[in-house]
Amino acid sequence: TMERAIAWVLINTDMKLSCEDIAALLGKSKSTIRGQLNTIKQKSQGIVQEVLESNGKKRVFIPMEFKDILLKKMKIVEKKKRSK
């Protein structure tokens, strides 16, 4: 799903990205990314954080403590899938 793709992008970068950045990476519109980010925020509060730059541009990121948790869960799922 698009939510997973956005999460994957944010997990695999140390940068804070704008909606435009994510849209360019995934080949989607800025409004689609913005909507999906809002859905992610509603489902999992605190995972996606926002920071407002001095020029007014919003950037999003996943804090390191959440990245570690998410990556561990992904590894567990991958191991389960392979063992079948």
Side-chain angles (χ1 to χ4, degrees):
T1 66
M2 184 56 55
E3 292 170 25
R4 287 181 187 215
I6 292 170
W8 186 88
V9 166
L10 292 174
I11 287 169
N12 288 290
T13 185
D14 292 331
M15 298 185 298
K16 293 173 175 71
L17 301 174
S18 67
C19 287
E20 292 90 352
D21 297 332
I22 298 169
L25 286 168
L26 298 176
K28 299 292 180 182
S29 72
K30 185 174 97 171
S31 60
T32 298
I33 300 302
R34 195 178 315 121
Q36 293 297 312
L37 281 169
N38 286 331
T39 302
I40 293 169
K41 288 179 196 174
Q42 288 174 353
K43 287 182 179 179
S44 305
Q45 291 183 347
I47 287 185
V48 175
Q49 303 278 322
E50 274 185 7
V51 64
L52 190 61
E53 293 183 338
S54 58
N55 64 4
K57 191 169 211 164
K58 283 184 185 176
R59 300 219 176 245
V60 294
F61 64 99
I62 296 178
M64 192 55 74
E65 62 269 16
F66 284 116
K67 282 185 184 183
D68 292 340
I69 293 168
L70 293 170
L71 288 170
K72 285 177 186 173
K73 284 185 178 183
M74 287 178 166
K75 288 178 184 174
I76 290 169
V77 170
E78 285 178 13
K79 286 181 183 176
K80 285 181 182 177
K81 285 182 180 177
R82 287 183 188 157
S83 64
K84 289 183 178 178

